[in-house]
Amino acid sequence: MLEGRFRLHQRGFRGGMRLFVSQGCPGSLPVLAAAGRARGRAELLISTVGPEDCVVPFLTRPKVPVLELDGGDYLFSTSAICRYFFLLSGWEQDDLTNQWLEWEATELQPALSAALYYLVVQGKKGEDVLGPVRRALTHLDQSLSRQNSPFLAGETESVADIVLWGALCPLLQDPAYLPEELGALRSWFQTLSTQEPCQRAAETVLQQQGAAALRPYLQRQPQPHPTEERPVSNEPEEEELATLSEEEIGLAVSAWEKGLESLPPLRPRPNPVLPVAGERNVLITSALPYVNNVPHLGNIIGCVLSADVFARYSRLRQWNTLYLCGTDEYGTATETKAMEEGLTPQEICDKYHTIHADIYQWFNISFDIFGRTTTPQQTKITQDIFQRLLSRGFVLQDTVEQLRCENCARFLADRFVEGVCPFCGYEEARGDQCDKCGKLINAVELKKPQCKVCRSSPVVKSSQHLFLDLPKLEERLEAWLGKTLPGSDWTPNARFIIRSWLRDGLKPRCITRDLKWGTPVPLEGFEDKVFYVWFDATIGYLSITANYTDQWERWWKNPEQVDLYQFMAKDNVPFHGLVFPCSALGAEDNYTLVKHLIATEYLNYEDGKFSKSRGVGVFGDMAQDTGIPADIWRFYLLYIRPEGQDSAFSWTDMLLKNNSELLNNLGNFINRAGMFVSKFFGGSVPEMVLTPDDRRLLAHITLELQHYHQLLEKARIRDALRSILTISRHGNQYIQVNEPWKLIKGGEADRQRAGTVTGMAVNIAALLSVMLQPYMPTVSATIQTQLQLSSAACSVLPTNFLCTLPAGHQIGTVSPLFQKLENDQIESLRQRFGGGQLEESLEFKAKACSKPAAAETVKTAGPQQIQVLMDEVTKQGNIVRELKAQKADKNQVAAEVTKLLDLKKQLALAEGKPLDTPKGKKKK
């Protein structure tokens, strides 16, 4: 036994801790690194023991690493030992670190153990080693890339960094297993590996042998299960059925036999929906979309569609549910759009509110109310909250340096100015935020600012404004978060974003703007200003509810009885998780605050981003013109929902998922189950005599149904969809194994067996129809009509698999649910929405491109399509003017002028105007 001693002095700590580690034991790496980090806090004796040494008196098997505490207690878990050392050094626990530690134990370790076993024990190389762990490495790299900080939980290393570094070190020390494309992971690993505590730990445990030092340890471990060797794939995997106890099977069969009688009585849905004391009252919001644009698929999945799934699920649980949304209509963006289109702000709001409402109606979004923020109630509630904040000392006045356009004779609010980002150099940064690096910007910080209206250079002048004193509210916010987050279902990215803001320290935030279109500021001297949209937009949820019912306070001033779920993309988290809670806490009026904040990552389009101006991507008003039903769009968007990391819409993948998961799996099973009843039993559900195998299937489906409930209760919407497809696969396998089409031709016993299999299958189809309702409501209703399912069975989703179609039940006419998507159809859509050819996005067919363009043969495009081209012409005109002003190279200017003339020609065609012959300058 080798021993070494160093002091970890801590005030009031008597010393005497002892850490047992072993060479070649991977768990020793992180604990030694963590011990080194805590140096100087307490006295610690480190003992290097052999792999077979039993160092804990009451254990019969060897166990290292182990930390023996001063009082004689022992810590055995690697992460627990590391956490203890970090706590000694003054580190404070946080939710994100805990989530990383859980991920390391449940996701990373199984994959990493397989990879190291293949490498060291079996001598495999390359993809055989990297395959099992590639998905985990990619997830780690993407997480580090997204948060734009050097460590897993922020700017400083946490216990999660040390635990994950220690786990990965034996493998990633070999550059062959750290792919070059994982740049963020590579940087993180190298940063930690060069720190002295980590270097010393690696030298002690690996003895400069790399992963080979682990051979004795790995040889004592069981060989990884072959299923761990499966390549990384987005395709569903066939899962092994869980082992069931007789008790579980008995309970499942008992619930099945009770059937419809075990369902609760249907409750009429009141209007308006109001909280009921003693019941579960669920208030659901989706982030209010800006009124001035058309939502694309990423906007739709990020808030309204995700929230709709949860709202529909809540109603199936018979929870008292109110789901609301609306258009966010005030602010600079609306004024800017109004100028561009030559309309008043109110006309712009009216126009685009209707566009939004029509899109969401087509996508079958089940709002209880879809409102808007330009209402008297919005003014009343916003001004009341402001007055309460002001009277309690949470509003400051200060002079702000602002950009003023002398040509337009106005101060330029953030959306009226753009320039070069001071942080990343992006040339089209807005005056409030850079779209490229995501950093918040004060407009005066922009380099080379320009007025978006007249393109002149503004000057810096002073203006008086009001600020919300966030530092003064920070303690209240921290206390509220401390009470709310434990046990809540805030997504990890939401927790991380809020903690990042708090870690950097809150600063006063300006809540007024020099605009006309907005909620008026009720304070002398500020009559010419309005509230900044980020202050009053979230108050829109309250005012929209107030326009729905005059009893709105029963929802919004009732935190004891209301569970508030808010759905959004991650860029909206600060406003919902910090700004509005601070405003509400400061107002001291018992407001209902968010309990579960559900934030998605971003959905990209193919290999890039959605862009309306460039005709790239599918926008809400275009989806219905593709000929693909709304439920197919819903299914695919929810299948690729960016829950833990960014995801991308892919036409090829959409075709594959439609044809495999919907057509061949789900649709095939439900259609076969119904057709067997119609063809073999005259449309009447046959009697079912359950065998032991049938009883086990009942129990397995009940378990999967309960898993579905557990996932949706946590708002893990994408994962719950997998449960539906898993049950459908079980059903298909059940039919294939039992072959009722053959049994029906046999003797009496075979025919009875065919009846049992058919009756079971059609009841599984009935269950799937209800589970599908939150995801594909139209398909769900179609199945229920075909099966003639009772209203009670359609309206409630139980926690057990019930027999809802008993023997003798007569079903209706069965027909296929889904159609195959063809390659040429999808390729045509990919070209149409791929950008580059703007005529495609305006529904100009490829055939027209081969003929001479003639004004009389081109149909006039719609107003939205024309607006796309007008925006392009304006943008290209600005580019040409800038180049000329800078006296750029003549060839460069000529190329941009050619682009401008081409766009003007396309605009003329779209408007149905005759083409003018371009008039060039005469040569002198």
Side-chain angles (χ1 to χ4, degrees), residues 650-790:
S650 161
W651 284 108
T652 301
D653 190 50
M654 185 181 190
L655 177 146
L656 290 172
K657 295 300 181 291
N658 178 83
N659 294 351
S660 61
E661 290 294 0
L662 292 181
L663 189 64
N664 294 338
N665 176 16
L666 183 67
N668 179 56
F669 168 68
I670 292 173
N671 185 251
R672 291 172 86 191
M675 288 300 295
F676 290 156
V677 176
S678 298
K679 184 176 180 180
F680 301 147
F681 300 98
S684 178
V685 176
E687 293 214 15
M688 292 160 273
V689 180
L690 303 184
T691 66
D693 284 345
D694 297 331
R695 291 166 177 261
R696 274 192 292 275
L697 180 62
L698 284 180
H700 282 302
I701 289 175
T702 294
L703 277 180
E704 196 63 50
L705 171 61
Q706 290 169 353
H707 185 51
Y708 169 93
H709 280 298
Q710 290 164 2
L711 291 167
L712 274 184
E713 285 174 5
K714 296 286 187 182
R716 290 176 57 184
I717 292 167
R718 183 192 63 195
D719 292 342
L721 179 57
R722 267 48 170 192
S723 291
I724 296 173
L725 300 173
T726 297
I727 290 176
S728 178
R729 278 192 288 275
H730 288 335
N732 270 317
Q733 186 177 16
Y734 178 64
I735 287 176
Q736 285 302 114
V737 167
N738 286 280
E739 300 180 321
W741 60 92
K742 292 182 180 179
L743 293 171
I744 197 69
K745 299 174 183 177
E748 185 177 344
D750 283 348
R751 288 196 299 275
Q752 184 184 70
R753 181 66 188 149
T756 298
V757 173
T758 299
M760 278 276 290
V762 79
N763 269 281
I764 295 171
L767 172 66
L768 288 170
S769 77
V770 187
M771 295 175 72
L772 266 177
Q773 203 270 350
Y775 293 89
M776 306 179 78
T778 302
V779 170
S780 167
T782 301
I783 299 168
Q784 290 165 359
T785 298
Q786 291 183 9
L787 300 182
Q788 294 292 292
L789 206 57
S790 68

Side-chain angles (χ1 to χ4, degrees), residues 23 44 127 172 225 254 277 354 356 449 455 471 598 613 630 657 702 705 823 860:
Q23 294 174 357
L44 173 69
E127 191 59 32
L172 300 192
H225 193 277
S254 175
T354 301
H356 277 267
R455 311 309 299 183
I598 315 298
S613 62
K657 295 300 181 291
T702 294
L705 171 61
N823 286 320
T860 303

